Each structure stands twice: as C-alpha cells, then as structure tokens.
Amino acid sequence: MTRSGWSSADVAASGRRPRLARLCRRSGLLPLAGRLRGLFREDVRILAYHRVLDSADPEGFSFDVDLISASADAFREQMKLAKRRFQPMRFDELADCLDRGRRPPPRALLVSFDDGYDDNHRIAFPILSELGLSAMFFVCTDHIGSGMPYAYDWLVHMLCSTGVERLEVPELGLHMPLPQDLAGRRAIARTALDRIKTLDAVAQEALIARLEREWQLPRTQGHPLCRPMSWADLREMQRGGMEIGSHGIGHRMLAKLPPAEMRREVAGSREALERELGERVDVISYPVGGPDAYDEDVMRATRQAGYRLACSYRAGTDAATSATRYDMRRLPIERQMDASWFEAMMALPEAFSYRSRYRNR
Ligand SMILES: [Zn+2]
C-alpha cells in the first residue's frame, strides 16, 4: 500500500499546550514553578510508557502508532531530566511507605511500561541501566514468549494492510470503502479501537478472530515489529534492577469480564509471574485502564489476590495514600511530546499532562 499522507508532521507537537510549554520553557521559570507547586502538593509522578523505538516516526508502520511513547533519544533525555529534577523511586519502596504510613519523598518519581513489547528490553532497559534508573514493566502472562502481537495491535495491523476494498464490520458500525493511504487507514483504526473497547471482552475477541479468518491474516503468523518480551528477557531485566508487574493474563478489560474470569486474570497472572520469576509480584496495571476498564469489584479482587498497589491509565499524579493505592493515576507519555512539553508536564502536570479520548489503552 502507499505511504502517502504519513509524514513527520504527524508527530510534531502542535496545538495550544505544546506552544505554551515552549514559551514557559524559554522563560526559564519552569523549575521555579515546579518547586512552588511542590510546596502545596505532596504527590507522586508515575510515568506511563508503552513502546520506545529507534524512531517515533517509523516509515510505513502498520501497528498502533499511538502506542509509541518516545524515540530512544527522546526517552534518554526524558530520563536524564527526571533524574536531575526528581527523586526516582521503585514501586516496592512506594508500597513500603504506604504500609508504614509514611509519606514518599518530595518530588517522588516512578517509571512504568505497559504491555511488555520487546523494545522495552532491547531499547528502554539499556538506557535505564546506563542512567542507573529502575522501572516497572507490566506484562500480560499469556503473551510473554508467544511471539504473537497483541490483539488490539493486530486489529490495527489488519486494517492497515488488508487487501479488501470495503470495510463491513457491523459490530463497530463501520461500513465504508477502505482508503489506500496509510493515514486514512490509521484514522479508521483509531475509530475501530475506540468502538471495540465498548464491547464486552468476549465479543472483542470474537470480532478480531473473525477478521483474522475472513482477511486471512492470522495473528499466529507474528510480526517482527510487534513482539512481546520473553521470560528470559524479563529475568535479565529483573537481575538488572527492574521490577516486573502484572497486566493481566490476556490484556482483557477486567470490568467487562464475568466475575470469575476477572478474578482469574488478576490472581492467575500474579501466580504465573511469581512462578516463572521467583520473586513476589506486588503491582498490577489494569489493562486499558480507563474508567470503564476497572471498578470496585476489580479493585477488591486485586487487594484479595495480594497485590500491594495497582495503577490505572487515568491521567494525573497520585496522592499516594491508602485510599488511592488500588487506583493510582499515571502520566501518559506520548510521542508527540517534545522536550519542552515533557519538561512543562513534569513541572506542572495539571496544566500539561496528555489527555485524549483515545489514550486509555
Ligand atoms: Zn495495555
């Protein structure tokens, strides 16, 4: 297929907030503004990444481009700034603070990754090691070592590469000719992702399986640009000071599952990780993580399964209290964030954190 319509302009930071961020950074006042904010807010910043690739703008990329959080170079710069201005800590240290009723240190910062793409091991892990930082990697146990792309990613890939001329997906209300250009197909894929996440988890899986069959694009064929990490990768990262957490068994929206299935995802993923990695697993991040992906029942099951902390994908800093420990907010990092935007977001998250209808995977 053609690649027309796909240019670096797609990742340029445009809009009011990035412009304001550039102005703030040029003024030199961001460090001071951040310190002033710290006098009034005792909160914790948990950064949420998905993928770090050599380029934030890979040519002809047919997977979910919105899950590229940063290029390798941008990630290194972000981590340097985080280390310079904030107090990096691990999730087990944060859980210890909460257990003992102590406040985390001022300007506490944690780094997390969702899903478990192999670029986390290939690209992010060496950068974190080089800088002496730790991060938490939330992984789906059924995906580890399977070589299979994730279901939502595969849906995007199918929409970007299928040879069919017309899209007929009544489950998602999509009836239209498929454009030939990648940008046009990406726009349709975003709509499809938004809509599929409103279905229950079983219906989501059935729909993706149907398209795999009808378009003869089985997910089992795998793809070099969308692979999960292996158990060996995770063990190496664990030995290198990284933390491993659960992201469920099969990346299913927990609040959209029957209760027994939901509890199996929560407890079973923890058991599998502890069995394979030989260490306690104390933290989970709810798959998709938006308001419709977890609820009181999910949080109760998480506590009962023995987790000490749980992260959502709702944007914001976390108060780090016993009331929020199973509902911790994070700051999503997106490839559109240039250095100014990142710096402004770190100093003043209320004004500059990334929000979008789409970003709640
Ligand atoms: Zn996820």
Side-chain angles (χ1 to χ4, degrees):
M1 69 184 287
T2 66
R3 291 178 181 138
S4 59
W6 175 231
S7 73
S8 58
D10 285 6
V11 289
S14 57
R16 196 167 51 84
R17 270 187 307 167
R19 279 200 305 275
L20 187 59
R22 278 192 282 275
L23 272 176
C24 289
R25 191 192 198 201
R26 247 181 263 137
S27 74
L29 292 173
L30 278 175
L32 176 65
R35 278 199 294 277
L36 278 174
R37 178 190 180 278
L39 296 176
F40 302 98
R41 286 291 303 270
E42 280 192 353
D43 52 0
V44 168
R45 291 163 174 79
I46 307 176
L47 305 185
Y49 290 86
H50 282 95
R51 311 191 66 173
V52 175
L53 297 178
D54 289 325
S55 164
D57 181 10
E59 204 177 316
F61 192 71
S62 61
F63 290 92
D64 189 352
V65 77
D66 292 321
L67 292 180
I68 302 174
S69 307
S71 69
D73 290 343
F75 179 66
R76 181 181 283 103
E77 292 311 309
Q78 291 169 1
M79 291 299 100
K80 282 185 184 169
L81 181 129
K83 196 176 164 181
R84 207 163 54 238
R85 299 224 178 124
F86 294 86
Q87 178 69 48
M89 70 185 301
R90 293 167 53 97
F91 280 77
D92 53 9
E93 294 169 332
L94 178 60
D96 286 346
C97 281
L98 292 179
D99 285 349
R100 292 170 190 159
R102 288 212 297 258
R103 290 301 307 159
R107 311 177 70 67
L109 172 96
L110 297 96
V111 179
S112 70
F113 284 79
D114 278 6
D115 295 352
Y117 293 94
D118 73 344
D119 48 77
N120 293 180
H121 172 259
R122 277 187 297 110
I123 299 176
F125 170 49
I127 294 171
L128 290 160
S129 301
E130 170 194 319
L131 298 173
L133 291 167
S134 178
M136 169 68 80
F137 295 85
F138 293 114
V139 296
C140 304
T141 52
D142 259 6
H143 290 289
I144 301 167
S146 70
M148 284 223 296
Y150 304 91
Y152 295 139
D153 261 308
W154 197 247
L155 175 63
V156 173
H157 176 70
M158 287 195 290
L159 287 165
C160 287
S161 49
T162 177
V164 299
E165 290 182 357
R166 248 195 99 72
L167 194 57
E168 288 297 340
V169 189
E171 298 94 324
L172 306 181
L174 293 171
H175 307 271
M176 60 184 73
L178 259 179
Q180 286 306 301
D181 66 294
L182 187 51
R185 290 195 177 203
R186 277 189 177 142
I188 290 171
R190 285 190 175 103
T191 303
L193 278 179
D194 273 353
R195 293 187 184 170
I196 199 171
K197 288 173 185 173
T198 64
L199 306 180
D200 71 55
V202 174
Q204 294 184 17
E205 285 150 26
L207 169 56
I208 291 171
R210 172 171 80 73
L211 296 178
E212 285 180 53
R213 272 193 315 275
E214 287 182 6
W215 295 349
Q216 294 175 17
L217 288 168
R219 189 151 63 104
T220 47
Q221 72 188 32
H223 196 289
L225 293 179
C226 194
R227 283 193 204 286
M229 286 186 278
S230 67
W231 287 110
D233 294 340
L234 295 178
R235 289 186 195 109
E236 184 190 344
M237 285 162 53
Q238 191 175 257
R239 283 195 302 275
M242 304 295 131
E243 294 182 281
I244 311 296
S246 166
H247 200 41
I249 294 175
H251 204 279
R252 304 164 91 191
M253 292 172 76
L254 299 172
K256 291 184 178 290
L257 283 169
E261 272 295 286
M262 178 272 281
R263 287 194 294 273
R264 197 179 74 84
E265 288 273 337
V266 170
S269 56
R270 180 168 192 246
E271 284 159 18
L273 287 170
E274 292 191 339
R275 190 172 57 242
E276 292 289 338
L277 300 175
E279 279 190 12
R280 276 185 62 106
V281 168
D282 286 333
V283 194
I284 187 171
S285 102
Y286 305 123
V288 180
D292 55 348
Y294 69 105
D295 56 19
E296 288 296 329
D297 291 342
V298 171
M299 289 191 272
R300 193 175 315 111
T302 300
R303 186 182 298 114
Q304 284 167 355
Y307 291 97
R308 299 168 77 198
L309 300 171
C311 293
S312 76
Y313 208 81
R314 299 169 82 171
T317 57
D318 190 77
T321 65
S322 55
T324 64
R325 64 188 299 166
Y326 293 99
D327 189 11
M328 303 187 86
R329 295 192 176 218
R330 294 186 285 172
L331 295 167
I333 309 302
E334 305 285 331
R335 67 197 184 109
Q336 293 90 342
M337 275 186 183
D338 58 14
S340 304
W341 190 354
F342 181 81
E343 189 177 336
M345 189 272 299
M346 292 294 277
L348 302 171
E350 287 78 6
F352 292 105
S353 75
Y354 192 94
R355 284 183 207 94
S356 120
R357 61 173 183 87
Y358 178 65
R359 296 305 307 126
N360 63 353
R361 172 172 168 156

